[in-house]
Amino acid sequence: MPAPVTDPVTRVWRSEREIALRGQLGAFRRGGGDPTSRFGREGSATRAVQTPQGVGTIHLVCHPGDSEVHARAWGPGGPWLLESVPALLGEEDDPSGFVPHHDLVAQAWRRFPHWRVPRSGLVFDALAPAVIEQKVTGQEAFAGYRALVLRFGEVAPGPFPGLMAPPTPAGWAAIPSWAWLQASVDGARSRTVVRAAGYAGRLEEGARTSVAEAHRRLRALPGIGVWTCAEVSQRALGDPDSVSFGDYHVAKDIGWALTGSPVDDDGLAELLEPYRGHRYRVQQLLGMAGHHRPRRGPRMAPRTHLPTRTR
């Protein structure tokens, strides 16, 4: 049943820099079919999330080249989402100590001088899809997340047909094992999400502490490693230094961009050491500028984790 549409709460916020909503919020969209996130041609962005105050939908409009953002929000979490707009759009990020050491990084910085690291403040919102994305192709991960949200999520408040909010932590924990398998999420990843859901309150508190403490809380849970912490930090904590070590593509892509040859994680750490404090900023700028190594060969076919039948 569609959620009843009530009058939204509203806010107008102006930054001193240009705001490009698609660039600022693109990292929160989990594939083109993500039912929790939309971008409009007119310069709008819409997200449905679970906040500390309950489910909420936020709709942002900022015309290209402008710095004035018009925000509307619906649902119990609406006021919380309006309060979070500046941080979500990177206003808390300070790039003042960032100095490019490579020509391509300098070019990307000149091309995207207004981009800032976002901070949603929602740890579990970033954690659940990151765990689902562990050690699988993006195609498989996005399809699995989409299937689970459509089946077990919540209709988003507001006038956006088809928009869904992800499950609450309790909702994630209640998903039966067979439904995870039908979504091609194996037992190791589903157990990690379910286990983390039991500590969601303590994990969310990490967003109000230091990044190191937030990482400590995350890493205390089996199944959550360096890569997953980085994916959460880049979205929920606004950390400009949490580079995606352990990613299948990131080290190879950055190595290819900066040296002409792919590198492994050790090589990536060496390449990015001069940028310490801003290593994720470099990763994101190069990605936004389209610096990826050439892809060759056929794509991996999606896998299934359903048990096979014997005849």
Side-chain angles (χ1 to χ4, degrees):
M1 178 181 297
V5 178
T6 58
D7 291 337
V9 288
T10 63
R11 176 181 186 179
V12 177
W13 173 73
R14 177 176 286 277
S15 175
E16 294 183 357
R17 59 191 165 87
E18 179 183 324
I19 300 293
L21 292 175
R22 187 179 290 270
Q24 279 296 146
L25 302 179
F28 293 97
R29 194 177 195 193
R30 307 290 180 163
D34 183 355
T36 72
S37 179
R38 293 178 183 172
F39 292 106
R41 294 180 179 176
E42 75 284 9
S44 68
T46 309
R47 294 189 72 222
V49 297
Q50 299 289 348
T51 80
Q53 304 302 321
V55 66
T57 300
I58 188 161
H59 179 72
L60 304 169
V61 177
C62 184
H63 298 295
D66 202 351
S67 59
E68 185 172 275
V69 179
H70 294 255
R72 294 184 295 161
W74 292 261
W80 189 95
L81 287 169
L82 287 188
E83 186 69 22
S84 74
V85 165
L88 183 67
L89 297 180
E91 199 69 5
E92 296 179 355
D93 178 34
D94 180 10
S96 58
F98 176 58
V99 178
H101 296 277
H102 297 84
D103 287 343
L104 282 185
V105 176
Q107 291 172 21
W109 186 226
R110 287 194 296 269
R111 184 175 172 187
F112 302 104
H114 307 297
W115 181 83
R116 298 292 184 269
V117 181
R119 184 182 186 277
S120 73
L122 299 172
V123 173
F124 202 85
D125 178 73
L127 177 60
V131 172
I132 291 171
E133 292 171 14
Q134 290 176 348
K135 299 180 180 179
V136 295
T137 65
Q139 178 188 20
E140 181 178 343
F142 296 152
Y145 179 70
R146 179 171 63 249
L148 291 167
V149 169
L150 289 174
R151 191 167 188 176
F152 299 101
E154 184 174 349
V155 174
F160 304 99
L163 191 71
M164 298 287 292
T168 62
W172 283 110
I175 297 175
S177 59
W178 52 264
W180 290 98
L181 293 174
Q182 284 185 335
S184 293
V185 179
D186 59 48
R189 288 178 290 151
S190 63
R191 284 191 296 272
T192 298
V193 175
V194 171
R195 186 184 298 114
Y199 295 91
R202 183 162 175 76
L203 296 177
E204 294 294 353
E205 290 174 359
R208 299 186 292 276
T209 64
S210 67
V211 172
E213 173 60 18
H215 280 205
R216 187 191 69 78
R217 296 184 185 200
L218 287 164
R219 292 292 301 276
L221 297 175
I224 298 178
V226 172
W227 181 86
T228 305
C229 280
E231 294 294 305
V232 172
S233 296
Q234 295 162 9
R235 296 166 174 83
L237 307 180
D239 181 23
D241 198 47
S242 287
V243 68
S244 299
F245 291 113
D247 192 273
Y248 183 79
H249 295 293
V250 169
K252 298 180 179 69
D253 286 344
I254 294 178
W256 181 84
L258 299 184
T259 71
S261 299
V263 298
D264 58 13
D265 276 350
D266 289 340
L268 178 63
E270 183 177 350
L271 269 177
L272 295 184
E273 182 58 31
Y275 297 102
R276 182 170 289 274
H278 297 275
R279 292 178 295 178
Y280 170 58
R281 194 183 311 281
V282 173
Q283 173 187 327
Q284 183 68 7
L285 286 171
L286 290 174
M288 291 171 66
H291 295 298
H292 306 288
R293 73 193 191 285
R295 302 289 198 261
R296 297 185 177 89
R299 292 191 175 204
M300 293 175 61
R303 297 173 297 169
T304 177
H305 298 280
L306 291 172
T308 56
R309 293 182 178 180
T310 55
R311 295 183 179 227

